[in-house]
Amino acid sequence: MSASQTSDVPTLLVKIFGKDRPGITAGLFDTLAAYSVDVVDIEQVVTRGRIVLCALVTKPAAGSEGELRATVHGWAESLKLQAEIISGTGDNRPRGSGRSHVTVLGHPLTAESTATIAARITATGGNIDRIFRLAKYPVTAVEFAVSGVETEPLRTALATTAAQIGVDVAVVSAGLHRRAQRLVVMDVDSTLIQDEVIELFAAHAGCEAEVAEVTERAMRGELDFEQSLHARVALLAGLDVSVVDKVRSEVRLTPGARTLIRTLKTLGYQVGVVSGGFTQVTDDLRERLGLDFASANTLEIVDGKLTGRVTGEIVDRAGKARLLRRFAGEAGVPLSQTVAIGDGANDLDMLNAAGLGVAFNAKPVVREAAHTAVNVPFLDAVLYLLGVTREEVEAADLA
């Protein structure tokens, strides 16, 4: 029966509450089946062992509604459940135009912050159609299905609110594309890994302070990325190539990195990295983690020594966005179905070019410019922004 066919049809909303146990759903519909009703809608939620089961059905034949009510109440009482039956007409009211998924991450997620987010959604003209939990650890993640307001203004409004109350909020458009095959591209230093690779090399060259000073000058705007890259790499001149293996062994993956990549690959995503660091490390990460794409700068090595120069095209802020587009083209994925993850200002072009840009434990300027931010120290929390539940993550681990 279509929505138009049920719009004026008398219906009954049957609500069952109580302690969950196997067979409740089957038992309710077995009871209703005796009255030849049609099912219009069903919703069931179990929280801490308590069930709320709602069934919207057409009214039974004339004269038998009273009997149906008595029978359902009797069945419920036999199982120590409560029943409520409400008469009405038709189905749920049509959802408003504009549908979005709003994912909220908290560590912890407080009642106060949840109330603030819900109130802000209402203030934008949105209606919360459904809420469910995606994960309870290592963070609490819940998703609101919202209609009645377009995605972009809702995202803008909630980004401001999220920053004020200290929770992470992601807003994406609803639709089939959310679960379509995608491409995820991430930065490496301080995103995929906990380290800054240039600093690991500098430690072996005994020039950590000098490298840090050049980095600071770049952050002050005195040098652009390419200038700072050349200045820092020059300090590595003369290092033996054996240092590369030492640096690779020192690299520490961000907590949740392996889980993120393994789950994405199981779900059919393609995954790549772009880095202002060096291919001597990213190529190793690509092999170890099974990445589909990897691109970075390359340290020049001559006669077994680092020359203090880089070769090839420089991967800078614009280069990262360019590589995102290149990877998307090679993967056959439209930009609207790409996700970019990064932490620094040189990731901004890439984050803005992607369908969803995620600032991961990022600088304030990056958090403000990205589509959404994750400020918990677990990279796999990004999965919840894509609507992947913790149960699906765990199932992927067993696959």
Side-chain angles (χ1 to χ4, degrees):
M1 191 177 293
S2 68
S4 60
Q5 290 174 313
T6 60
S7 60
D8 297 322
V9 172
T11 51
L12 296 177
L13 175 59
V14 181
K15 302 169 68 177
I16 303 297
F17 316 82
K19 185 177 180 181
D20 189 31
R21 72 198 72 182
I24 290 177
T25 304
L28 173 62
F29 286 96
D30 277 343
T31 302
L32 294 171
Y35 298 91
S36 300
V37 297
D38 295 331
V39 177
V40 178
D41 196 5
I42 308 172
E43 189 82 25
Q44 178 174 307
V45 177
V46 177
T47 305
R48 210 182 66 180
R50 309 294 291 185
I51 187 171
V52 178
L53 171 59
C54 296
L56 186 66
V57 299
T58 55
K59 277 195 174 186
S64 60
E65 180 181 337
E67 182 184 342
L68 179 149
R69 287 174 175 269
T71 302
V72 169
H73 280 287
W75 165 81
E77 288 174 7
S78 72
L79 296 178
K80 298 182 179 179
L81 300 170
Q82 295 180 325
E84 181 181 5
I85 303 176
I86 304 170
S87 297
T89 302
D91 197 351
N92 302 314
R93 63 179 177 82
R95 293 180 178 178
S97 61
R99 295 176 60 192
S100 303
H101 297 287
V102 177
T103 306
V104 182
L105 308 182
H107 191 55
L109 181 62
T110 67
E112 181 180 8
S113 59
T114 305
T116 302
I117 292 295
R120 189 60 174 155
I121 290 172
T122 302
T124 64
N127 184 71
I128 299 171
D129 300 317
R130 186 169 181 246
I131 306 173
F132 63 96
R133 186 178 69 187
L134 293 167
K136 61 182 178 181
Y137 70 92
V139 298
T140 300
V142 296
E143 182 171 290
F144 295 74
V146 177
S147 62
V149 60
E150 296 301 323
T151 298
E152 285 304 321
L154 179 62
R155 176 185 287 156
T156 300
L158 291 181
T160 302
T161 301
Q164 292 170 345
I165 64 177
V167 299
D168 299 333
V169 178
V171 182
V172 298
S173 298
L176 291 175
H177 69 276
R178 191 186 189 203
R179 284 299 187 93
Q181 187 177 27
R182 287 188 177 196
L183 168 70
V184 175
V185 176
M186 67 190 89
D187 175 42
V188 175
D189 292 11
S190 298
T191 300
L192 178 64
I193 66 174
Q194 300 177 59
D195 312 281
E196 294 288 330
V197 170
I198 186 69
E199 294 178 2
L200 296 179
F201 276 102
H204 290 282
C207 59
E208 294 170 277
E210 293 91 333
V211 165
E213 170 57 25
V214 174
T215 301
E216 190 63 32
R217 289 179 62 196
M219 292 180 66
R220 291 196 300 262
E222 297 172 12
L223 297 172
D224 64 21
F225 177 82
E226 185 169 349
Q227 289 173 318
S228 69
L229 175 68
H230 288 306
R232 287 177 290 179
V233 171
L235 296 168
L236 307 180
L239 271 180
D240 191 86
V241 69
S242 62
V243 167
V244 170
D245 286 335
K246 294 177 182 177
V247 167
R248 287 174 174 174
S249 68
E250 292 165 351
V251 165
R252 299 167 301 161
L253 292 174
T254 298
R258 288 187 182 276
T259 300
L260 171 67
I261 294 169
R262 182 171 59 246
T263 304
L264 290 172
K265 298 290 289 180
T266 301
L267 294 174
Y269 286 64
Q270 297 187 60
V271 184
V273 293
V274 292
S275 176
F278 310 111
T279 57
Q280 281 82 1
V281 171
T282 57
D283 287 351
D284 180 62
L285 290 169
R286 178 176 183 169
E287 183 176 347
R288 286 166 52 195
L289 299 174
L291 302 173
D292 299 285
F293 305 98
S295 189
N297 300 299
T298 299
L299 293 168
E300 184 181 63
I301 299 172
V302 177
D303 297 330
K305 303 287 185 181
L306 274 64
T307 66
R309 295 186 294 270
V310 292
T311 62
E313 184 181 8
I314 298 298
V315 178
D316 55 8
R317 175 170 169 167
K320 288 186 174 185
R322 185 168 58 250
L323 286 164
L324 171 68
R325 293 186 176 93
R326 181 191 303 173
F327 294 167
E330 293 176 10
V333 175
L335 274 178
S336 62
Q337 292 181 13
T338 63
V339 180
I341 310 168
D343 73 298
N346 65 334
D347 297 315
L348 277 174
D349 289 3
M350 175 178 73
L351 298 182
N352 290 329
L356 177 64
V358 180
F360 180 73
N361 291 313
K363 318 305 187 281
V365 66
V366 182
R367 291 200 303 268
E368 292 169 6
H371 296 137
T372 189
V374 171
N375 296 304
V376 295
F378 312 106
L379 193 55
D380 55 341
V382 172
L383 291 167
Y384 308 137
L385 308 184
L386 307 179
V388 180
T389 67
R390 189 70 202 178
E391 287 78 10
E392 289 172 319
V393 173
E394 291 169 352
D397 284 345
L398 297 174

